Structures are given as structure tokens and as C-alpha cells.
Amino acid sequence: GAVVSQHPSWVICKSGTSVKIECRSLDFQATTMFWYRQFPKQSLMLMATSNEGSKATYEQGVEKDKFLINHASLTLSTLTVTSAHPEDSSFYICSARETGAYSNQPQHFGDGTRLSIL
Amino acid sequence: AQTVTQSQPEMSVQEAETVTLSCTYDTSESDYYLFWYKQPPSRQMILVIRQEAYKQQNATENRFSVNFQKAAKSFSLKISDSQLGDAAMYFCAYSPKYTGTASKLTFGTGTRLQVTL
């Protein structure tokens, strides 16, 4: 089955540090990947849609300069939390859909990254 | 904008019994997709079942089935013969029928299901 690998699974860092999270589709190509944020006991909130070879589309209220997204290849998207602060602590999840697939095909989710900013 | 509502923050079911989780949604589209995802304590998102809006037949996957009422914009999940491994957070999700960037998922707030002995 389609596998999405997300790395790292857990990161703890000091305030002011920039943190990069990788999302890789291991056995399929993904023109589009999605980045979600999930607070404890809450739902997944879409942050942005990552498009291979072009700029990401951010949801309303998400700071583009704070959450940098790069989708340089059909199998890799990265989310960089710049100058992270404690309020950025959260669980971040990526997902990917196979290139050319219709939206009835499920998004394949990574295992998530727990980000803790001290 | 599409919205998805899950009005049951928590539900409990005894092992081997049946439980139904509710979901309603709002959309102006006539064709779309609906999903139920399970998120266990590991926090991995697992697809449970999906429904295409143009199909009148309710989707079924083993012990999981849905009751899709398009006119009422209702999409409930029935879990039969509940097992301890079914304990998780369940999210209802909506997706428009497009390819590419427009096909993003909108999630409900989730229902935490407890399974007791």
C-alpha cells in the first residue's frame, strides 16, 4: 500500500530555533501534499496545500513566513517552522495523494511529528 | 465553505455491541466524497470507510458501515461487534470532487470512542 514517511517523529528544541519536518511518499508520486496541525484532543486543521514545483497555498490565518513549505520533488515536501516559539508546539501531520488520483482516493497520512518548543 | 459537525464528543460501547457515531455536513456541492478516519493513541490517521455522494448505496467495510442520508446531509458510522481495538478518536471528513489542490479534506471535531469489557 501507499506509504507516507514523516520525519522526525518527535523534536524538542529551544525557542527561536527553526525546525524542518519532512514528508516523503515512499512508493508513489504526489503532486499535492497537505500539512495539518492538531492540538491536543482537537481535530486536524489544514494549514496549507503543498504543490510540487510551485508555491504552497496557505489557509486563512496561517502565517506564510512562519511556516515555510517547499515541495521540490514529487516525493518530498518539507515544512519549516521558523523561529519557533512555545505556542508553535503542536502535532503536525502531512498527507499525500497519488498524482492524478481523484479525491475519492484517500489521502495517505504520515505518522505525524510532535513538536515541543521549550 | 463546507463544514463538518460531529455532535458527540465522546461515546462508549461495550465489547461486541453496536455503536453509531453521528456526522452532519454542509455543502452546496451536489457531488463530493465523505470519509471516516480513525486515530488511535498512536495518532496515525487510518481510513475506515468512504462514501461517494452520487452512490445511493451505503458503503460497508467488514464491521463498519455508514448510513448516508444525502438530503439530510447526514453521514453516520455504525460499528458492529465492537472490539477493544476500535477504541480511538473518529473523525468524519468531507472532500469536494476535484483533483489537485481543491480536493482538500475538511474534518469534523471528532468523537472519542471508548470500548468497555
Side-chain angles (χ1 to χ4, degrees), chain A residues 50-105:
Chain A
S50 172
N51 306 301
E52 187 270 336
S54 64
K55 292 183 179 180
T57 303
Y58 289 82
E59 296 298 303
Q60 191 173 8
V62 177
E63 298 178 60
K64 300 178 182 181
D65 296 333
K66 178 71 167 178
F67 300 99
L68 300 179
I69 291 172
N70 183 273
H71 195 152
S73 76
L74 286 171
T75 59
L76 174 64
S77 176
T78 60
L79 168 68
T80 301
V81 184
T82 61
S83 186
H85 292 284
E87 59 267 28
D88 299 323
S89 298
S90 191
F91 191 68
Y92 295 87
I93 310 175
C94 72
S95 71
R97 179 179 289 123
E98 293 185 54
T99 299
Y102 286 89
S103 56
N104 65 329
Q105 297 300 313

Side-chain angles (χ1 to χ4, degrees), chain A residues 32 34 36 38-44 46 49 51 59 91 93 97 100-107 109 111 114, chain B residues 33 35 37 39 42-45 47 50 52 89 91 95-101 103-105 107-110 112:
Chain A
T32 304
F34 303 88
Y36 298 86
Q38 185 179 31
F39 290 104
K41 298 184 179 180
Q42 293 189 26
S43 186
L44 279 71
L46 180 66
T49 303
N51 306 301
E59 296 298 303
F91 191 68
I93 310 175
R97 179 179 289 123
Y102 286 89
S103 56
N104 65 329
Q105 297 300 313
Q107 294 182 18
F109 284 85
D111 288 344
R114 186 184 305 275
Chain B
Y33 303 105
F35 305 85
Y37 281 89
Q39 189 180 41
S42 66
R43 305 192 78 170
Q44 183 184 16
M45 295 293 287
L47 177 67
R50 60 188 171 196
E52 300 187 43
M89 181 73 88
F91 292 101
S95 175
K97 189 179 181 182
Y98 299 114
T99 58
T101 59
S103 56
K104 56 186 181 182
L105 286 169
F107 286 92
T109 51
R112 183 170 302 279

